[in-house]
Amino acid sequence: MKTVREIATEIVRREGGYVNDPDDPAGATKYCVTIGTLRRVRGAATIADAKALTKSEAIEIFEGHYFHRPKINLLPREVQASVFDMYVNSGRNAVRILQKLLVEMGFGVSIDGAIGPQTADAAKAAQQSAGALFADAYGIARRDFYFGLADRRRASRKYAQRRNGGKGGWIVRAEEFMRPKFRMSEAQFQE
């Protein structure tokens, strides 16, 4: 299993440098750290601060604010990387997706976007019950969330589907955390 630092480093490497895409409601972003996140972490931040963010600062933000603070460490190790990656990408929605999955699996948890004893215990029980399928099911639920977001917000479709019709970054990102047999083929994706 990868360490939190290794996962955070991969996120920074994948996300790349500074962007300020008008179609992205997050605004100015570098290494997937948004201007809003910088303001929450530092108390004040400008676009210049976002542009000046270093890789090591981004990694520290991810570890502290996107792994430890939301208590992802309480989840089974098998889903930690995927939930962590999703939390960086979509905040508390990462936990809501997990909680909805747990409810669908028959566990009585609240869908509040927070990891507490109830969610952690249910996730551990789900992991024991489903084994590797639990992480795959989370990856599929995550992918479905991205499809739904792209359907609801037209400007975001480019993150789910590339211009050439292939899988966009959101879909590729979700599928990284599931076994290959659960990833969509290009034909399935086109459907």
Side-chain angles (χ1 to χ4, degrees):
M1 293 279 177
K2 294 178 184 174
T3 66
V4 176
R5 174 67 47 125
E6 289 169 335
I7 296 165
T9 301
E10 285 178 6
I11 293 168
V12 166
R13 185 174 34 253
R14 180 187 329 114
E15 290 297 327
Y18 175 80
V19 295
N20 196 355
D21 185 340
D23 293 330
D24 185 348
T29 304
K30 187 171 182 186
Y31 307 128
C32 205
V33 176
T34 67
I35 187 76
T37 296
L38 275 181
R39 288 176 179 149
R40 280 190 304 279
V41 170
R42 295 181 178 173
T46 65
I47 289 180
D49 293 323
K51 288 179 178 179
L53 184 75
T54 67
K55 290 179 181 181
S56 61
E57 289 172 319
I59 291 167
E60 292 296 324
I61 288 170
F62 292 153
E63 289 179 331
H65 295 272
Y66 292 87
F67 186 83
H68 294 295
R69 181 173 284 163
K71 302 178 183 172
I72 291 172
N73 61 301
L74 297 179
L75 300 175
R77 288 196 46 85
E78 293 83 357
V79 294
Q80 284 182 9
S82 188
V83 176
F84 176 35
D85 183 76
M86 179 68 177
Y87 207 97
V88 168
N89 183 249
S90 199
R92 293 169 64 99
N93 285 319
V95 178
R96 286 186 191 99
I97 291 165
L98 175 68
Q99 291 166 330
K100 287 177 185 174
L101 175 62
L102 291 169
V103 167
E104 289 171 7
M105 293 176 74
F107 296 95
V109 299
S110 299
I111 301 172
D112 59 7
I115 299 171
Q118 184 185 60
T119 298
D121 290 346
K124 289 172 188 168
Q127 178 62 44
Q128 280 187 326
S129 169
L133 289 173
F134 182 52
D136 293 324
Y138 181 76
I140 292 166
R142 182 179 171 185
R143 181 178 62 200
D144 291 347
F145 171 83
Y146 289 136
F147 281 133
L149 188 57
D151 285 344
R152 288 188 307 278
R153 193 169 55 197
R154 186 168 179 73
S156 295
R157 289 184 182 169
K158 66 184 178 183
Y159 307 123
Q161 183 176 28
R162 295 189 321 257
R163 287 183 186 169
N164 69 3
K167 295 178 189 177
W170 282 351
I171 306 307
V172 171
R173 187 173 186 159
E175 290 187 338
E176 279 182 36
F177 297 95
M178 61 179 79
R179 290 178 291 171
K181 69 181 179 178
F182 294 104
R183 297 175 188 164
M184 298 176 90
S185 69
E186 287 302 319
Q188 290 169 323
F189 180 76
Q190 292 307 314
E191 284 181 31

